[in-house]
Amino acid sequence: MDLHYKVSGTDFTTAGKASQEIKKTLQRLGLDSAVIKRAAVAMYEAEMNMAVHGGGGEASVEILDDRIIIVMEDHGPGIADIGKAMEEGYSTAPKEVRELGFGAGMGLPNMKRNSDEMTIDSHPGKGTKVTMVIKL
């Protein structure tokens, strides 16, 4: 099963909508609740990063017999230092975003923690593509 979503880069109230839809789909498929939670958390964190840093983008989810593959791709400024961005608490979110309760620097670490595999392909000025695999 292949699912595709647009992620807004301007409206924080709709960020997370795709991860909610995936959660509902995985529940309907009868998957284990721990797997559903991991997929929903990883995808939500990615959506929020796309809204805060990437100006929105596209989310693709492939549900296979043995795994879920989540691909999140934006066309934002890219990540200058992926190693630093993976550190818990490190954030480049603007003050306005932090005042809304987002941008605590936990997005990428939470995505990695909730995935069995995660790759980040990012180039300054060309955007970021994050691929997460969750095994069933």
Side-chain angles (χ1 to χ4, degrees):
M1 175 182 295
D2 290 321
L3 304 164
H4 302 277
Y5 303 91
K6 290 281 186 195
V7 178
S8 175
T10 57
D11 184 0
F12 289 108
T13 62
T14 61
K17 196 172 190 175
S19 56
Q20 288 175 357
E21 290 298 318
I22 289 302
K23 181 179 178 180
K24 289 176 190 174
T25 298
L26 298 176
Q27 287 171 332
R28 280 194 301 271
L29 292 172
L31 295 181
D32 181 81
S33 62
V35 169
I36 294 169
K37 180 180 178 183
R38 291 175 64 217
V41 168
M43 191 164 170
Y44 175 79
E45 293 286 9
E47 282 183 85
M48 292 310 299
N49 277 359
M50 290 171 81
V52 170
H53 304 288
E58 297 83 36
S60 298
V61 180
E62 186 176 6
I63 304 168
L64 302 169
D65 291 337
D66 62 341
R67 66 192 178 279
I68 302 165
I69 302 169
I70 301 169
V71 179
M72 308 294 285
E73 190 165 8
D74 69 45
H75 305 287
I79 302 171
D81 185 340
I82 293 173
K84 188 77 173 164
M86 290 299 298
E87 293 177 12
E88 290 189 13
Y90 177 78
S91 178
T92 58
K95 181 181 177 185
E96 312 82 64
V97 170
R98 288 194 300 272
E99 287 174 349
L100 293 172
F102 303 107
M106 294 303 295
L108 287 173
N110 279 337
M111 290 161 59
K112 177 132 180 93
R113 189 176 296 111
N114 284 283
S115 302
D116 293 302
E117 300 170 25
M118 183 173 100
T119 58
I120 301 171
D121 183 21
S122 186
H123 305 281
K126 295 186 179 180
T128 300
K129 178 179 179 180
V130 177
T131 303
M132 297 173 283
V133 176
I134 299 167
K135 296 177 183 174
L136 302 181

